[in-house]
């Protein structure tokens, strides 16, 4: 079974600073990988997805992630943090064929300091 | 295009009761999945339905069940509720097996 590790349950950055949220997955075979964001009292919103087409994936709201097979990593970055980026971020990997049955990391709460 | 709609948004039940949660997927989406989110266990996959058939199942007891109707709408049922079933239950839909899932805002279930 797949597993996902998100390093750091809380990350705090200043507005305008680089955002880096770390995610490592367990599979040796490139799976489907996703980053989702969750705002309070809401469901999950898809930020971006990796489906083997390109190793650098661009998502919404200025976020991007780089797939590194050698490091089994899929870290999420944003060059300049905005106050509205404060939320919880989840990395997920598909477990099995297709993009369903997601296994999620424990989440990283991102705080933006003014 | 309307998103995934889950009803009700909030629900309070007592131990031993049963509950049914409803999910209307995005129009045209045939796959519906359910997840449980708790502070302790995080997000856990419950099951996935596609064209009225359960295709994938997570590691939850048989008290958790679901079904999908011909219009792709799905329901999830939990019987003999326990305190530990208190959680946010999220429904997600996708066009097919290889497209990303889109989530609803969830049903927050509280067990007293």
């Amino acid at each position: 079974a797949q597993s996902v590790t998100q390093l750091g349950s809380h990350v705090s950055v200043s507005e305008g600073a680089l955002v880096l949220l770390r995610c490592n997955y367990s599979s040796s075979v490139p799976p489907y990988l996703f980053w989702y964001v969750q705002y309070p009292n809401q469901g999950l919103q898809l930020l971006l997805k990796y489906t083997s087409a390109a190793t650098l994936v661009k998502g919404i709201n200025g976020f991007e992630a780089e797939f590194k097979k050698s490091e089994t990593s899929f870290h999420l970055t944003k060059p300049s943090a905005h106050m509205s980026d404060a939320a919880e971020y989840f990395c997920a990997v598909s477990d099995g064929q297709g993009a369903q049955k997601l296994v999620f990391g424990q989440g990283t709460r991102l705080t933006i300091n003014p | 295009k309307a998103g995934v709609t889950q009803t009700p948004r909030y629900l309070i039940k007592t131990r031993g009761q049963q509950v049914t949660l409803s999910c209307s997927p995005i129009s045209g989406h045939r796959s519906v999945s359910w997840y449980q989110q708790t502070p302790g266990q995080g997000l856990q996959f419950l099951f996935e339905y596609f064209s009225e058939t359960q295709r994938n199942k997570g590691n939850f007891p048989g008290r958790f069940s679901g079904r999908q109707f011909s219009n792709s709408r799905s329901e999830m049922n939990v019987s003999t509720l326990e305190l530990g079933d208190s959680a946010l239950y999220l429904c997600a839909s996708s066009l097919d097996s290889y497209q990303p899932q889109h989530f609803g805002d969830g049903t927050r279930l509280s067990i007293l």
Side-chain angles (χ1 to χ4, degrees):
Chain A
Q2 298 278 4
S3 66
V4 176
T5 302
Q6 290 184 239
L7 296 176
S9 58
H10 290 89
V11 169
S12 182
V13 302
S14 298
E15 192 174 17
L18 170 72
V19 175
L20 171 60
L21 304 182
R22 300 177 189 273
C23 172
N24 288 88
Y25 63 95
S26 62
S27 174
S28 60
V29 176
Y32 290 90
L33 289 159
F34 307 88
W35 274 99
Y36 283 89
V37 61
Q38 186 176 34
Y39 297 98
N41 298 317
Q42 293 186 23
L44 304 176
Q45 180 182 6
L46 179 69
L47 277 176
L48 49 80
K49 64 182 188 288
Y50 168 76
T51 56
S52 76
T55 56
L56 184 62
V57 182
K58 292 189 184 299
I60 63 171
N61 301 339
F63 284 94
E64 62 182 35
E66 185 173 8
F67 174 75
K68 291 187 177 180
K69 183 180 177 182
S70 60
E71 299 176 8
T72 60
S73 69
F74 190 57
H75 301 332
L76 181 72
T77 60
K78 181 174 180 178
S80 177
H82 191 272
M83 296 299 290
S84 61
D85 294 328
E88 187 143 22
Y89 292 79
F90 293 93
C91 179
V93 62
S94 57
D95 188 10
Q97 281 192 328
Q100 313 312 303
K101 194 177 181 183
L102 298 180
V103 174
F104 285 89
Q106 284 298 103
T108 298
R109 184 168 298 279
L110 177 64
T111 301
I112 311 297
N113 302 312
Chain B
K1 202 173 196 182
V4 177
T5 303
Q6 292 187 245
T7 56
R9 285 297 309 278
Y10 302 92
L11 206 49
I12 299 175
K13 292 286 187 179
T14 56
R15 280 181 298 172
Q17 287 186 310
Q18 74 167 21
V19 68
T20 300
L21 311 182
S22 181
C23 172
S24 293
I26 293 172
S27 178
H29 285 195
R30 298 170 64 190
S31 171
V32 174
S33 297
W34 290 87
Y35 294 84
Q36 182 195 64
Q37 185 177 24
T38 60
Q41 299 299 315
L43 281 152
Q44 294 183 284
F45 173 80
L46 280 156
F47 28 66
E48 182 219 353
Y49 287 86
F50 186 89
S51 294
E52 302 178 66
T53 301
Q54 186 181 90
R55 282 203 306 196
N56 286 296
K57 190 176 189 306
N59 296 322
F60 278 81
R63 300 186 297 107
F64 292 81
S65 63
R67 60 178 175 169
Q68 186 181 33
F69 302 95
S70 58
N71 61 359
S72 292
R73 191 176 70 84
S74 177
E75 288 182 347
M76 191 191 96
N77 185 274
V78 188
S79 62
T80 319
L81 288 165
E82 301 176 359
L83 291 177
D85 297 333
S86 293
L88 180 67
Y89 290 89
L90 293 165
C91 172
S93 74
S94 64
L95 200 57
D96 58 40
S97 301
Y98 300 95
Q99 299 303 313
Q101 296 175 53
H102 298 269
F103 285 78
D105 285 337
T107 293
R108 185 165 296 282
L109 175 63
S110 299
I111 311 302
L112 303 180

